Amino acid sequence: MLQPSLWLLVITLGVVPQTAEESVSLPEPVRQLLTTHCAECHTGESPEADLNIDDLLDSGISPQNLSRWTLLYDRTIAGEMPPDKPLSDSDSKQLTEPLYQSLLTADKAIIASQGRSKIRRMNRLEFENALRDLLQAPWLQIKTILPEDAEAFRFNKVGDALDISHVNMARYLQAVDYALREVLAKTEDAPNARTERYYARQQGAFNRKVHYNPFNRSPERATFPLIGYEADLNVLNDEKHPFTVGNSDPEKRELESFGVVASSYEPLEPTFNSFKAPLSGRYKLRIKGYTFWVGGEEKKFWRPDRTKTSIGRRPEPVAIYAQSPPRQLRKLGEFDLQVEPSVQELDVYLLQGETIRPDPVRLFRSRPPNWKNPLATEDGMPGVAYNYLEVEGPLVEQWPSAGHRLLFDDLPLQTVDKDHTEVQSANPAIDAQRLLERFLERAYQHSPDQEQKEALLRVFAKAEAAGFSFQDSMIAMYTAALCSPNYLCIDEPSGPLESVAIANRLSLFLWNRPADQSLRQFAREHDLRDSSVLRSQVKLMLQDPRMQEFIAAFTDYWLDLRKLNDTSPDEQLYPDYYLDDALVDSAQAETQLFFTDLLKNNLPIGNLIQADFTYLNERLAVHYGIPDIAGTEMRRVELPPQSPRGGLLTQASILKVTSNGTTTSPVVRGAWINERILGVRIPPPPKSVPAIEPDTRGATTIREQLQKHRADPACASCHQIMDPVGFALENFDVLGGWRDRYRSLGEQGEPLKGFGKNGQPFIFRAGPTVDASGELLDKTSFKDIYELRNLLSHNDRDLARNLLEKLAIFATGSAPHISDREELERILNDLAAKDYPVQTLIEELVCSPLFLRK
């Protein structure tokens, strides 16, 4: 395989914008007040917060220090500075009003010179979507090849953070080369779409766990060769007996199955390993199975007796994963296996070489030593049985693929050797120029000039002269084209955007990918600068399935959903959550579907704090204590009147990302809720103040520890804002389960009986009682989450302002500007009477100068 780095040595971006260098001087009264009230702490060699007033006053307001001046203004207007001697009303007005006007003047000059947003590269999610669309290959997995994107203002969209290093470029080259080769035709003739069955009893990954061995007895007790609902005693009692009758008795083979009473986890990892996807592409999977019941041993009812099997008592949820070596898993979907044998179908995309692993997620995951099945009763325990996996595919719509035809049109394919097919050209130079023109028209947002085209053709010529084949030389040229600034970077001229540029910005915002050819053509034929056309297009785009890319990307960063698996529930304190992937997946889906509902149904912003509905499946409903919800499907559920759930604050996903898996912290949760939901900025803690170490032994509560911490004047001002909201959430544990008492690993407290999902007994005890009361900064008190939500529900304008600011960053790829505030307040004024509906907030943002100008 050609390594692009051998021939594509340097791609220079030349993307550093010209900045407005002139500074804005400050009115004399402002200078005097700052010197009088701030110099004591903010001068000298080690000024507080590394802010030297003398340096700022000497340089005036410039592009380089505008953000520092803005922070100074915000802290002053909020009454946070000076901390010890607040300004009088008169001094505050004389300082902040002219300072604000000076900041506006400086900011508007910068925007007039270079625009609000800077040139940036696509982040890795956008780039993956872009290549999938361009090559019409939705199975491509690109983002894992690329480095994690840097963040600014909590998003991975801002130009200040999306520069390009040699490491970035090397990975982008690697990703593009991989993607282009993925869509190449590997054979002259189209692969046949075959339908094959892979019987569970013929899979080595299933059968190797049937027989006992002296080294690992426990997991084998969780595996069951079955004939229908009855144990297959022939296999159990005779190690030499064949696992299946095979083709000799097709009717009996349809009754043979392989059952488990534990979910998939090392060392019990049943996989349909006889199947490996021959090509990357689309497939249909059909899995036949059912649920069964197994009785326990006489003296140990929690241990299954493999001879006591019978018909199942309820459906069981099963997740399906694609597995690649060694144990890389990618979730494909899920369904409920029924009591009666049934066939469940999934339409999926697979990568070449992937196989299929089913996982009955409600069942436990046995971990040594001496496990007990937590789902077992004295009457027995549930299990899942698999008959077969049937695979249809690869499902090829055309051959060669659309991606191959984009690259090579109808040039002939020729088999070079047994395992290798190459595109052939009788006129390489002519074909290269023709195909490049065609490719760039589809790939680029703007037509490149002749010099850029010639530079790309030189890449082809140099590769061919170095002895590479026509196909590899073309791949080199295409890789150069897709890693050049014309494709990789988002660059817009200063001033009002043209219709096509608006379309591209819209697509990056609402679909998390550059505008495709269809949207670009629409923008050429219909002027998106017309607000009625633009609003109509926004509504259409929000109904398109690609809108889910916005939901996922925006909530991943606004609400940190991408961090859901960064920590695991502590195995000793929270064994009931430990290894429970289904709960975490359901929690993520709840938040995404909830926000989707707010957006699509244009609901008022107040639902972020207090909503009478959410989205649940059985696993999450059990977690929340809400009855009568069965199955894996997430659905809209009206919450009971007295439910503590409703709104983002009490969703399991939010409560998990604001915990560390072992303990909860009112400080962390309070700061997070204030910044992400309420729009209250919390400054970082002083470097000299140590963090609170949680007490898992239960000797002291977190409230008691914080009382000592808050005695420090350097901490008190911020903790008065953060802690109350965090205290109200203390009734929710590390994964959002309700609690009245903490859990403790100490010797005091009542031992609690039960077994975790890992089969191990609880060792934690009931600790101190939770106190969820608090007092807000305005001295309003509350006793629990119910009362806090009622208090916060009056802050709709603050909620809307915060969401609008976050959307503006995400939509424009720009850091916030102080001059944005006038436009944001105008939008809020217009929507106040309507209670700030979420979709309308997006429409108004898109129709504003913030979005329609660079």
Side-chain angles (χ1 to χ4, degrees):
M1 179 181 291
L2 174 65
Q3 295 299 316
S5 57
L6 295 176
W7 43 260
L8 194 60
L9 297 178
V10 178
I11 294 181
T12 56
L13 291 179
V15 297
V16 179
Q18 296 297 313
T19 59
E21 293 298 336
E22 292 186 7
S23 62
V24 173
S25 59
L26 292 158
E28 189 59 32
V30 171
R31 299 176 65 89
Q32 291 177 358
L33 284 166
L34 288 174
T35 301
T36 301
H37 294 281
C38 304
E40 181 179 350
C41 297
H42 293 284
T43 54
E45 295 183 359
S46 301
E48 289 287 336
D50 198 28
L51 176 68
N52 192 307
I53 287 293
D54 289 342
D55 291 344
L56 284 178
L57 292 175
D58 289 344
S59 58
I61 303 173
S62 68
Q64 291 73 32
N65 65 23
L66 178 60
S67 61
R68 304 221 76 185
W69 276 113
T70 303
L71 175 61
L72 185 152
Y73 167 81
D74 286 340
R75 297 290 301 275
T76 304
I77 202 75
E80 298 172 14
M81 289 293 157
D84 300 329
K85 301 175 183 178
L87 296 176
S88 66
D89 291 343
S90 174
D91 283 352
S92 178
K93 185 175 182 179
Q94 289 186 52
L95 172 60
T96 57
E97 289 185 359
L99 177 57
Y100 180 66
Q101 293 303 318
S102 297
L103 292 172
L104 285 182
T105 300
D107 193 32
K108 290 178 178 179
I110 295 169
I111 292 173
S113 170
Q114 63 191 57
R116 285 184 70 256
S117 56
K118 297 179 180 179
I119 184 172
R120 70 171 178 92
R121 62 171 169 82
M122 282 188 269
N123 64 41
R124 63 183 197 153
L125 296 170
E126 294 166 336
F127 195 67
E128 179 178 77
N129 286 333
L131 290 184
R132 286 177 173 179
D133 289 353
L134 177 66
L135 301 174
Q136 297 184 52
W139 65 84
L140 287 174
Q141 300 292 313
I142 299 299
K143 64 179 181 288
T144 53
I145 300 175
L146 303 173
E148 283 277 0
D149 296 307
E151 299 170 37
F153 300 95
R154 302 198 183 282
F155 287 98
N156 65 338
K157 291 265 195 176
V158 179
D160 290 328
L162 294 178
D163 56 358
I164 296 184
S165 68
H166 68 281
V167 174
N168 289 121
M169 186 52 65
R171 295 289 186 85
Y172 275 93
L173 291 167
Q174 179 186 350
V176 170
D177 183 76
Y178 160 77
L180 296 176
R181 294 182 186 280
E182 272 287 287
V183 301
L184 291 181
K186 307 299 191 297
T187 58
E188 293 183 56
D189 299 323
N192 294 324
R194 301 189 302 173
T195 300
E196 291 195 30
R197 284 186 181 177
Y198 301 87
Y199 288 91
R201 295 272 286 270
Q202 292 177 314
Q203 308 303 305
F206 282 75
N207 295 330
R208 63 187 173 85
K209 295 299 178 187
V210 169
H211 295 306
Y212 291 111
N213 67 68
F215 301 104
N216 200 357
R217 290 181 176 272
S218 294
E220 278 81 352
R221 293 177 180 268
T223 60
F224 301 81
L226 300 169
I227 302 292
Y229 298 103
E230 301 296 326
D232 190 342
L233 298 178
N234 290 326
V235 172
L236 287 175
N237 295 334
D238 182 0
E239 289 198 11
K240 296 182 179 180
H241 194 281
F243 283 112
T244 176
V245 296
N247 294 328
S248 66
D249 189 345
E251 186 175 342
K252 185 175 182 180
R253 181 170 61 173
E254 292 302 310
L255 297 174
E256 291 179 337
S257 65
F258 187 95
V260 293
V261 295
S263 63
S264 179
Y265 197 69
E266 186 183 7
L268 183 66
E269 297 173 306
T271 305
F272 287 96
N273 60 311
S274 294
F275 165 74
K276 287 183 174 55
L279 290 173
S280 298
R282 179 169 162 255
Y283 293 80
K284 286 187 177 180
L285 307 180
R286 302 179 186 95
I287 294 181
K288 183 180 179 183
Y290 53 93
T291 68
F292 70 103
W293 190 260
V294 57
E297 296 178 357
E298 289 187 16
K299 295 183 179 180
K300 298 180 178 180
F301 69 85
W302 57 87
R303 296 277 186 160
D305 183 335
R306 297 195 296 177
T307 65
K308 298 178 181 178
T309 58
S310 58
I311 190 169
R313 309 218 175 152
R314 54 153 288 166
E316 289 292 343
V318 176
I320 303 299
Y321 293 88
Q323 178 175 310
S324 55
R327 287 190 178 91
Q328 296 296 314
L329 298 178
R330 188 168 60 86
K331 189 173 181 180
L332 301 174
E334 57 194 358
F335 50 73
D336 294 303
L337 271 185
Q338 303 301 309
V339 173
E340 297 290 337
S342 61
V343 177
Q344 308 294 328
E345 183 174 285
L346 294 175
D347 201 323
V348 302
Y349 291 104
L350 296 177
L351 301 178
Q352 185 176 8
E354 285 184 326
T355 187
I356 303 301
R357 180 198 286 193
D359 184 12
V361 293
R362 194 178 76 97
L363 307 186
F364 81 118
R365 288 179 161 171
S366 61
R367 308 307 299 148
N370 300 320
W371 54 264
K372 294 182 180 180
N373 188 340
L375 297 179
T377 66
E378 294 189 4
D379 191 31
M381 63 205 72
V384 166
Y386 307 103
N387 291 109
Y388 61 73
L389 163 72
E390 184 176 271
V391 182
E392 181 184 351
L395 301 175
V396 178
E397 295 181 2
Q398 66 179 69
W399 191 260
S401 69
H404 178 102
R405 290 182 181 276
L406 171 66
L407 302 177
F408 293 106
D409 198 15
D410 57 357
L411 290 181
L413 283 162
Q414 180 178 325
T415 301
V416 178
D417 54 45
K418 180 181 178 182
D419 300 315
H420 187 55
T421 300
E422 287 253 353
V423 176
Q424 303 297 314
S425 171
N427 300 291
I430 294 174
D431 281 334
Q433 183 170 355
R434 172 180 68 88
L435 292 172
L436 178 64
E437 293 274 359
R438 182 171 170 270
F439 178 80
L440 295 180
E441 181 182 354
R442 184 77 59 83
Y444 281 15
Q445 296 293 317
H446 305 285
S447 298
D449 57 34
Q450 190 59 34
E451 183 181 350
Q452 292 167 329
K453 295 176 185 176
E454 290 174 357
L456 292 170
L457 288 169
R458 285 196 296 273
V459 173
F460 169 81
K462 289 181 179 180
E464 193 177 43
F468 291 105
S469 67
F470 171 77
Q471 177 174 290
D472 279 346
S473 299
M474 290 294 292
I475 294 294
M477 179 177 67
Y478 289 139
T479 304
L482 295 179
C483 290
S484 78
N486 289 298
Y487 186 79
L488 184 58
C489 292
I490 300 153
D491 188 17
E492 301 153 335
S494 296
L497 300 178
E498 297 296 326
S499 184
V500 173
I502 293 171
N504 194 49
R505 184 173 271 200
L506 262 184
S507 187
L508 287 163
F509 176 26
L510 299 179
W511 290 346
N512 213 41
R513 67 216 323 130
D516 60 14
Q517 198 173 30
S518 174
L519 184 55
R520 296 201 302 267
Q521 187 60 35
F522 177 88
R524 294 186 187 102
E525 297 172 357
H526 306 81
D527 193 349
L528 288 173
R529 292 171 295 186
D530 182 327
S531 61
S532 62
V533 175
L534 183 56
R535 288 179 188 276
S536 177
Q537 185 61 29
V538 169
K539 291 181 187 294
L540 286 173
M541 292 178 74
L542 289 175
Q543 297 304 314
D544 189 282
R546 285 171 287 186
M547 185 268 288
Q548 289 304 317
E549 295 284 349
F550 160 69
I551 296 293
F554 185 66
T555 56
D556 267 358
Y557 284 85
W558 171 39
L559 302 176
D560 283 335
L561 294 194
R562 72 192 188 284
K563 297 180 179 180
L564 267 170
N565 287 305
D566 283 4
T567 60
S568 296
D570 186 88
E571 186 177 1
Q572 294 182 319
L573 274 171
Y574 293 97
D576 39 347
Y577 303 153
Y578 179 63
L579 305 178
D580 196 341
D581 297 335
L583 177 56
V584 178
D585 290 347
S586 302
Q588 180 181 42
E590 176 193 19
T591 302
Q592 291 177 341
L593 288 167
F594 175 77
F595 188 65
T596 300
D597 196 312
L598 299 188
L599 183 55
K600 283 196 169 184
N601 293 314
N602 206 20
L603 299 182
I605 194 73
N607 284 278
L608 292 180
I609 294 295
Q610 202 156 20
D612 59 4
F613 73 95
T614 192
Y615 281 79
L616 302 175
N617 61 7
E618 180 180 2
R619 179 64 191 95
L620 199 54
V622 169
H623 187 56
Y624 288 175
I626 296 176
D628 303 325
I629 306 292
T632 61
E633 180 188 1
M634 298 291 295
R635 74 219 65 174
R636 197 181 200 267
V637 175
E638 299 297 320
L639 291 167
Q642 298 305 312
S643 173
R645 310 293 170 172
L648 290 178
L649 272 62
T650 57
Q651 290 181 4
S653 66
I654 304 304
L655 295 160
K656 185 177 190 302
V657 298
T658 55
S659 302
N660 63 15
T662 301
T663 59
T664 60
S665 167
V667 177
V668 173
R669 281 181 170 172
W672 194 97
I673 296 296
N674 270 282
E675 292 195 332
R676 306 305 178 89
I677 310 299
L678 304 178
V680 178
R681 182 189 171 277
I682 305 295
K687 295 179 181 179
S688 59
V689 178
I692 295 175
E693 294 296 330
D695 175 17
T696 62
R697 311 303 296 181
T700 58
T701 66
I702 186 67
R703 183 182 292 268
E704 291 169 338
Q705 295 173 70
L706 279 171
Q707 284 175 348
K708 298 177 181 179
H709 190 74
R710 294 171 68 176
D712 188 332
C715 305
S717 59
C718 291
H719 280 278
Q720 289 173 353
I721 302 171
M722 297 183 296
D723 296 358
V725 177
F727 283 137
L729 298 176
E730 279 297 278
N731 276 124
F732 301 97
D733 63 28
V734 298
L735 227 161
W738 181 267
R739 64 185 177 191
D740 294 307
R741 300 177 70 177
Y742 294 102
R743 295 183 181 185
S744 167
L745 294 177
E747 297 179 358
Q748 302 297 317
E750 176 189 355
L752 298 179
K753 295 182 179 181
F755 290 85
K757 194 174 179 68
N758 59 1
Q760 297 303 304
F762 292 169
I763 64 171
F764 59 86
R765 296 171 178 264
T769 300
V770 172
D771 179 359
S773 65
E775 184 180 84
L776 299 178
L777 197 59
D778 64 1
K779 304 303 181 183
T780 305
S781 61
F782 59 87
K783 66 179 182 180
D784 53 27
I785 184 61
Y786 298 94
E787 292 189 357
L788 176 71
R789 285 192 309 189
N790 288 334
L791 294 173
L792 296 181
S793 65
H794 302 300
N795 294 349
D796 284 1
R797 189 180 182 94
D798 292 339
L799 296 175
R801 180 186 297 106
N802 176 65
L803 180 59
L804 197 55
E805 288 173 351
K806 301 294 190 293
L807 289 168
I809 297 169
F810 190 90
T812 65
S814 170
H817 286 254
I818 193 168
S819 60
D820 297 347
R821 299 176 185 184
E822 294 175 330
E823 180 63 16
L824 296 180
E825 293 303 320
R826 182 197 65 77
I827 294 173
L828 295 174
N829 289 338
D830 290 347
L831 298 184
K834 300 177 182 179
D835 296 327
Y836 313 103
V838 174
Q839 185 179 125
T840 308
L841 280 172
I842 288 179
E843 290 179 21
E844 293 298 324
L845 172 64
V846 166
C847 291
S848 76
L850 302 185
F851 188 85
L852 297 176
R853 299 176 65 91
K854 178 182 176 182

